[in-house]
Amino acid sequence: MTKSEALFQRAVQVMPGGVNSPVRAFGSVGSVPKFIKSAEGAYLYDEDGNQYIDYIGSWGPMILGHANQEVLGAVAKACERGLSFGAATAPEVELAELVCSLIPSIEMVRMVNSGTEAVMSAIRLARGYTRRNKIIKFTGCYHGHSDGLLVKAGSGAMTSGIPDSLGVPAGCTQDTLTAEYNHLDSVEGHFARCGEEIAAVIVEPVAANMGVVPPKPGFLEGLRRLCDANGALLIFDEVITGFRLGIDGAQGYYGIRPDLTTFGKIIGGGMPVGAYGGKREIMELVAPVGGVYQAGTLSGNPVAMAAGLAMLTILKDHPEYYQELNGRAGRFYQRMQEILGKSGLPYHVNHVGSLGCLYFTGTEVIDYESAKTADTKAFAKYCNYMVSHGVYLAPSQFEAIFLSMEHTEGLLDKTLGQMEQYFCG
Ligand SMILES: Cc1ncc(COP(=O)(O)O)c(C=O)c1O
């Protein structure tokens, strides 16, 4: 028995499914998780000493690769000063200033501890600001696990076939309207029926929890227009796309200004951080200035702020990184497509910047319905092959591939070689 298998046997006795977050369980691909001991650059190392080229990157934050020395150094220094004070600190101000300077739509920001918390709070704020209750979300978009948003969510819920969670009272979701991603008419329909009750539309500007689905030209513009016409707020959930597609996220990439934005992942440099921000006029409704209550003992934690500050400073100081990463990623996904073409298999590759997904379907994936045509059993076989050959993929057809600055052409070629071996024999 491997050390990972032995740990998993112990883990399932004391943790539901042996994990602290469902997709980590590898159950959907019929295997057991590798227990990771350390990571460096583009590599993960498990408890058994196996090395993997990592394409999860902690589900997004590791855009600079694992164990970046500058980020680690900043964290070590912060630790020496104490782990938590529950009081205002300078690094909070510095990170907030940096975020406001990098994202034109953001004049004020509030730090929280996770993407879930950021989205939950942004929705409360949108409701408080508009004095309306209903929100529109898109089928297959995931916005964390708060009650009102666990409706037709993608990601883990989609992978495990749980459409909506047990334990969510109907009352919590009665104001959550669902529309179809990339289908503006489904949003127009809601606004036509009850536009004056809709507080906000929340969207992943690139849907990255049903694989990776780029917005069709005009889709995000259409959402902006509909929100403006109906007095609703547009919320971009940039927990995945923020500081990844570019320093100003998907909103910079596509040139659309949302009213509120939520962040997670990269903003914490690998530590538990989330944030929401937007126009001053809206943000000043958050307590203690305004009447929308939201709080957190560990929010703005000095160690987490130090990690985020170090990460964002590196990214800000190296705008060429995005060009390099997105260029390398473009070539990687193109070559992937060529391998699949050679194999004669009708699979599709979607990608935006460094985010990508290989769909096991002959159908072009543009929304939730088309994503669902993917053959998850065929994906499971492929995933297990790649992991057993040193390429660590997310154990779900509906998760994105995350590349980092540490994924050199050499490592990408090695990965493509494994794929070619699998698909073309
Ligand atoms: C778009 C999006 N929003 C929100 C979340 C929730 O973030 P967290 O897992 O940090 O709570 C996720 C998680 O992956 C996400 O992808």
Side-chain angles (χ1 to χ4, degrees), residues 114-117 119 142-145 204 209 237 239-240 265:
S114 69
T116 296
E117 217 186 311
V119 175
Y142 178 66
H143 302 291
H145 63 91
E204 288 183 73
N209 283 287
D237 181 350
V239 165
I240 286 189
K265 318 261 187 195

Side-chain angles (χ1 to χ4, degrees), residues 174-230:
Q174 71 189 12
D175 289 318
T176 308
L177 309 173
T178 51
E180 299 309 313
Y181 190 81
N182 270 337
H183 298 269
L184 215 45
D185 53 342
S186 65
V187 186
E188 283 162 350
H190 286 310
F191 274 115
R193 273 187 298 279
C194 55
E196 69 294 343
E197 293 175 66
I198 296 171
V201 174
I202 182 161
V203 66
E204 288 183 73
V206 173
N209 283 287
M210 47 176 163
V212 171
V213 185
K216 281 187 179 169
F219 177 61
L220 298 176
E221 291 82 349
L223 295 183
R224 181 64 278 176
R225 184 172 33 78
L226 283 170
C227 285
D228 287 343
N230 290 278

Side-chain angles (χ1 to χ4, degrees), residues 106-185:
I106 297 187
E107 293 174 323
M108 296 186 106
V109 65
R110 167 62 60 89
M111 299 296 165
V112 293
N113 303 285
S114 69
T116 296
E117 217 186 311
V119 175
M120 184 183 85
S121 310
I123 297 279
R124 183 180 303 149
L125 176 57
R127 285 176 166 150
Y129 179 76
T130 57
R131 304 287 205 272
R132 298 172 176 184
N133 287 338
K134 294 194 188 305
I135 56 158
I136 297 178
K137 82 170 281 290
F138 293 91
T139 307
C141 282
Y142 178 66
H143 302 291
H145 63 91
S146 66
D147 283 351
L149 289 161
L150 272 185
V151 181
K152 297 187 179 167
S155 195
M158 193 172 174
T159 305
S160 57
I162 303 170
D164 304 295
S165 175
L166 284 175
V168 176
C172 288
T173 55
Q174 71 189 12
D175 289 318
T176 308
L177 309 173
T178 51
E180 299 309 313
Y181 190 81
N182 270 337
H183 298 269
L184 215 45
D185 53 342

Side-chain angles (χ1 to χ4, degrees), residues 297-348:
T297 301
L298 294 177
S299 295
N301 171 272
V303 182
M305 293 296 100
L309 199 51
M311 174 83 94
L312 292 196
T313 303
I314 296 170
L315 293 170
K316 177 191 77 140
D317 291 345
H318 295 278
E320 75 281 7
Y321 280 6
Y322 287 106
Q323 230 174 336
E324 224 176 294
L325 178 61
N326 291 348
R328 222 183 290 160
R331 289 189 291 280
F332 175 65
Y333 293 119
Q334 175 64 31
R335 296 257 324 271
M336 198 183 275
Q337 215 136 22
E338 284 163 14
I339 290 170
L340 296 168
K342 212 165 93 182
S343 75
L345 297 166
Y347 299 157
H348 274 96

